Amino acid sequence: MQNEEYKNNYIESLRLELIQLVENELTPAAQKYGYSDTPLQSNIKWKPMVLILGNYSSGKSTLINEFLQGQIQETGQAPTDDSFTVITCDDIATQSAILETRKFGESGVCVQEIRDGKVLLNDPQYPFESLCKQGDRFVSHFKLKKVNAPFLKNLALIDTPGMLDSIAERDRGYDYQQVIGDLAQIADLILILFDPHKAGTVQETYHSLRETLPTKTFEDRVVFVLNRIDECRNLPDLIKVYGTLCWNLSQMTGRKDIPKILMTYSPSVRESSATGEQSFLRLLDNQREELRQLVLKAPRNRLDNLASFVETHSARLAHLLEGVYEFAKRLRNMKLKFALFGLIASLFAGASLSFYFSGAEFASQMSREVAVGIAGGISIIAYVVWIFLVNRTIDFIVRPRLLKQLDTLTELDSQARLDTWSAVSEILEKYLKNVDNLPSVSVLKKEFESVRRVYVKGSKEIRTAINEMPSKHSTPTL
């Protein structure tokens, strides 16, 4: 017990250090240069989350009810709920439920409280501030349920509206794919459910797997689930459905290998429609338990996910700042080059005027000092005009040309560099187009080196600390 408590304290200490690192070193630059509208630490400060996606008939709500051992979400063949629902626990009520279960042998799990989207988006306790941009229509389709379920003691589930075919943003009233992407970015596990009748053929599913998720999360956090397999009449029917799903996933994900697909069903639903040809179902009961354990392990994976969060965003942010720094340096060097040329030309013009005045008849009455002063004044005025014209030329001609050559700002000599550049190049272009006055080169260099230090050194220290995390049976060294 002491070892487990020590381990939990160690994990919590590391978690707080990671959040502090993000808040102090990454967030200021991220918000300053348009990388993130909200503080980065707001994405990682809440409890571990499991995002559940799928077609409208894939059995998401039934699976959630199975996990929680209660009728929490409405179920049905047709779409029953078009809301994003965050399901978390009421700690006090959960403890009471555990005691009641031990005493009476029934779960007693039920919804204790429901909060609307405005609370979720405006309460700093929750990591959903980035969704404010989706507008009032989304707010009305976003809610939180507090449930007294022991299953949710250390995590939260996010149920989502079923994916549909041929539906546009104007039909929902908000950008569905953007919401999915924002939630995937902060989720520790993503379950994607399919049913035997629509094994991956829905348009929104294709868009999510092909475009949204690959840019917002990591492949190892995505788990594919073929649900409701009890609706397959026999084993050949199941094999046919499984093969269809494998083919569709290979087309949607672009992967050459076949991803692992867990197969499951709801025993409570099957009881009313069991047939003798479905004896294969009992052979797959272990997969239902494997899926359950994957969800329960989400909190244990949180530290690794937080470390990946720091590594990913520090790498991308460092590449973004490198681009801004190189852009500013090129502009500065160009301005210095033209300024030096203008200075030399002005000095030469001043010397020529002074020499000219010394031999001109109209200047015979001038003293040498006056002639030199006039020549010097003219050359200074010419230099000021030159600098003004140079700055205007650079702002209106040279700068737009450089914006079209952003890929030349940094070395793209590895796949890792290509990946980070792909993630930040549009952000960089938007920032450079909208900012009038770039920070000085010295300031940019300092900020770039600070963020890069987090990526190069800080991420290694984080991984070392995680690897040194005490195991279940280790004795703490004090």
Side-chain angles (χ1 to χ4, degrees):
M1 186 69 178
Q2 183 181 2
N3 288 344
E4 190 65 26
E5 183 179 354
Y6 176 76
K7 181 178 179 180
N8 290 337
N9 290 337
Y10 187 89
I11 291 173
E12 180 64 12
S13 176
L14 276 181
R15 188 184 73 85
L16 293 176
E17 286 183 20
L18 284 173
I19 292 174
Q20 196 70 31
L21 177 67
V22 172
E23 182 177 1
N24 294 339
E25 302 294 338
L26 300 184
T27 288
Q31 293 191 285
K32 180 178 179 180
Y33 295 101
Y35 181 80
S36 175
D37 296 329
T38 58
L40 289 177
Q41 69 273 10
S42 64
N43 295 325
I44 58 176
K45 64 184 179 183
W46 201 44
K47 61 177 62 178
M49 289 173 284
V50 177
L51 178 64
I52 303 177
L53 307 173
N55 304 335
Y56 70 85
S57 61
S58 56
K60 299 188 301 298
S61 297
T62 301
L63 182 67
I64 290 172
N65 291 340
E66 291 283 341
F67 284 154
L68 305 185
Q69 294 296 298
Q71 194 65 26
I72 305 305
Q73 294 291 83
E74 294 183 17
T75 60
Q77 292 293 330
T80 55
D81 191 350
D82 63 349
S83 295
F84 288 85
T85 306
V86 180
I87 308 172
T88 185
C89 70
D90 184 318
D91 294 331
I92 297 177
T94 299
Q95 293 301 322
S96 300
I98 294 173
L99 294 174
E100 291 293 323
T101 300
R102 289 173 179 172
K103 185 176 180 180
F104 299 109
E106 296 181 358
S107 68
V109 173
C110 60
V111 177
Q112 300 289 312
E113 182 182 357
I114 298 179
R115 295 185 178 183
D116 62 27
K118 289 185 178 179
V119 173
L120 285 173
L121 297 178
N122 295 294
D123 189 335
Q125 172 189 353
Y126 303 111
F128 305 116
E129 186 180 349
S130 64
L131 297 173
C132 289
K133 60 181 177 289
Q134 295 299 334
D136 292 338
R137 183 71 181 274
F138 170 74
V139 171
S140 65
H141 291 78
F142 191 41
K143 59 187 175 183
L144 177 140
K145 289 183 179 179
K146 284 194 172 183
V147 181
N148 61 338
F151 188 88
L152 297 174
K153 182 180 179 181
N154 296 313
L155 58 87
L157 304 178
I158 305 177
D159 194 9
T160 61
M163 295 184 186
L164 301 170
D165 227 351
S166 301
I167 190 166
E169 179 183 341
R170 61 179 179 275
D171 300 315
R172 292 192 185 270
Y174 57 88
D175 191 331
Y176 177 81
Q177 293 297 330
Q178 193 173 79
V179 174
I180 291 297
D182 286 348
L183 292 175
Q185 199 167 24
I186 61 177
D188 297 278
L189 181 69
I190 301 169
L191 304 183
I192 304 179
L193 273 60
F194 301 91
D195 66 276
H197 308 292
K198 291 182 291 296
T201 58
V202 174
Q203 184 178 352
E204 283 190 330
T205 306
Y206 178 88
H207 192 167
S208 298
L209 292 178
R210 190 71 175 183
E211 299 177 16
T212 304
L213 295 180
T215 61
K216 295 294 184 178
T217 190
F218 298 95
E219 191 176 288
D220 59 355
R221 295 186 196 176
V222 178
V223 176
F224 298 104
V225 181
L226 178 57
N227 197 24
R228 296 173 56 183
I229 60 171
D230 54 301
E231 296 180 10
C232 295
R233 292 169 297 178
N234 47 47
L235 184 57
D237 192 19
L238 173 61
I239 293 174
K240 181 179 178 181
V241 169
Y242 184 85
T244 300
L245 179 57
C246 287
W247 168 257
N248 287 334
L249 284 180
S250 69
Q251 300 302 303
M252 288 188 288
T253 62
R255 292 172 53 171
K256 294 182 179 179
D257 61 319
I258 298 176
K260 182 177 181 180
I261 303 171
L262 294 175
M263 294 180 283
T264 187
Y265 64 97
S266 170
S268 60
V269 173
R270 179 186 171 251
E271 288 173 1
S272 60
S273 60
T275 66
E277 294 185 57
Q278 294 179 315
S279 58
F280 64 88
L281 290 176
R282 60 185 175 82
L283 302 176
L284 299 172
D285 285 345
N286 61 321
Q287 295 209 13
R288 189 171 67 252
E289 180 59 23
E290 182 180 346
L291 177 61
R292 183 175 179 275
Q293 291 302 320
L294 276 175
V295 174
L296 288 174
K297 287 179 181 178
R300 300 181 190 179
N301 299 330
R302 188 61 185 274
L303 272 184
D304 281 327
N305 295 343
L306 289 179
S308 297
F309 180 92
V310 173
E311 289 170 349
T312 299
H313 290 289
S314 61
R316 291 177 178 178
L317 191 53
H319 210 160
L320 174 66
L321 288 173
E322 182 182 350
V324 179
Y325 169 65
E326 289 296 332
F327 187 87
K329 192 164 68 170
R330 289 189 184 185
L331 285 181
R332 182 202 63 179
N333 291 344
M334 193 167 294
K335 288 181 179 181
L336 288 175
K337 185 187 297 183
F338 279 108
L340 181 60
F341 176 79
L343 179 61
I344 294 173
S346 298
L347 290 175
F348 179 78
S352 299
L353 285 172
S354 179
F355 179 78
Y356 172 73
F357 286 158
S358 65
E361 292 185 6
F362 71 89
S364 59
Q365 302 300 321
M366 295 182 188
S367 66
R368 180 174 178 80
E369 290 77 9
V370 172
V372 171
I374 293 174
I378 293 174
S379 64
I380 291 173
I381 293 172
Y383 182 68
V384 171
V385 171
W386 171 261
I387 293 296
F388 174 79
L389 292 175
V390 165
N391 286 332
R392 299 285 287 182
T393 301
I394 288 177
D395 287 339
F396 288 99
I397 298 178
V398 178
R399 186 166 177 166
R401 288 181 181 176
L402 284 178
L403 282 171
K404 294 179 180 179
Q405 303 171 2
L406 291 183
D407 289 347
T408 66
L409 291 177
T410 68
E411 293 290 336
L412 302 175
D413 52 0
S414 68
Q415 188 59 49
R417 296 277 291 178
L418 287 169
D419 290 342
T420 55
W421 186 249
S422 175
V424 302
S425 57
E426 289 186 6
I427 299 172
L428 174 63
E429 183 178 10
K430 182 179 179 181
Y431 171 77
L432 293 176
K433 281 183 177 178
N434 294 332
V435 67
D436 292 326
N437 298 307
L438 288 170
S440 68
V441 171
S442 59
V443 169
L444 285 168
K445 184 178 181 181
K446 183 178 180 181
E447 291 176 331
F448 164 61
E449 290 178 344
S450 175
V451 173
R452 189 173 183 275
R453 190 160 48 247
V454 173
Y455 172 62
V456 174
K457 185 179 178 182
S459 59
K460 290 183 180 179
E461 292 176 349
I462 291 167
R463 290 295 182 186
T464 300
I466 291 175
N467 292 334
E468 293 175 352
M469 185 170 63
S471 63
K472 184 177 180 179
H473 304 292
S474 65
T475 301
T477 304
L478 301 176

